[in-house]
């Protein structure tokens, strides 16, 4: 394999891994959205914050290690943060 | 550059980055050790736990992305955890 092919493979793999982790967080958000009408779990906010922090550290590492472009990492996190903001908005309306 | 040279460079870079982050945590531990006789900061444990979690997510990502060997990642974390345990032991003796 040429070095540019290798770099491309590593780049694709890195993006895939980060997206997998982002999807896990998306699912946590969805579960909470679906349960808006039932009892709110007091720990969901803490769990989501921790997961977001973990993912942001992974993204930061992937950028520093030269695996992904800074912009790609930012977009991934911004998309998630928007969905999180929607969840918090929906929760605040309920209160 | 050949693909094996590229992989080696990426591997070295990944280890360097993880060690830099580990050193930051080491310094937090040292500062707290040096301040054992003064007022204990109530947040140090939380800050250290958060930093350790962040680093463990970086290490996990680096392993999954194929940048470092699982064993190298484990060793880095175990070394830090030992130093953390020493700090907590010293703090418990004080109490």
């Amino acid at each position: 394999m040429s070095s540019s092919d290798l770099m491309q493979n590593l780049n694709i793999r890195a993006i895939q891994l980060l997206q997998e982790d982002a999807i896990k967080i998306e699912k946590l958000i969805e579960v909470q959205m679906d349960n808006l009408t039932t009892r709110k779990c007091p720990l969901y906010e803490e769990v989501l914050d921790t997961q977001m922090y973990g993912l942001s550290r992974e993204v930061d590492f992937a950028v520093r290690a030269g695996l992904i472009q800074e912009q790609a990492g930012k977009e991934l996190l911004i998309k998630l943060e928007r969905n999180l903001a929607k969840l918090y908005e929906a929760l605040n309306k309920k209160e």
Side-chain angles (χ1 to χ4, degrees), chain A:
Chain A
M1 199 193 300
S2 75
S3 58
S4 67
D5 284 347
L6 172 65
M7 202 60 234
Q8 203 184 355
N9 283 358
L10 289 169
N11 177 276
I12 291 167
R13 175 90 185 120
I15 289 282
Q16 270 173 352
L17 289 169
L18 294 173
Q19 273 168 349
E20 278 171 25
D21 290 347
I23 286 166
K24 280 182 206 158
I25 299 177
E26 290 278 8
K27 281 188 183 153
L28 286 174
I29 296 174
E30 275 168 30
V31 167
Q32 194 56 43
M33 283 294 235
D34 291 346
N35 289 304
L36 276 182
T37 50
T38 62
R39 207 167 66 87
K40 182 174 140 182
C41 168
L43 286 176
Y44 83 93
E45 200 166 333
E46 185 133 354
V47 170
L48 281 172
D49 280 355
T50 304
Q51 292 297 316
M52 281 297 288
Y53 172 72
L55 182 62
S56 74
R57 288 285 296 254
E58 288 181 23
V59 167
D60 181 61
F61 176 80
V63 171
R64 288 187 297 153
L67 288 189
I68 66 165
Q69 296 289 313
E70 198 175 346
Q71 193 54 33
K74 268 189 193 160
E75 278 164 20
L76 191 119
L77 290 175
I78 286 170
K79 196 179 148 226
L80 260 182
E81 275 159 12
R82 277 198 199 118
N83 287 338
L84 256 186
K86 276 183 207 157
L87 170 63
Y88 290 145
E89 203 184 328
L91 285 166
N92 283 333
K93 270 188 196 155
K94 258 208 72 191
E95 276 168 9

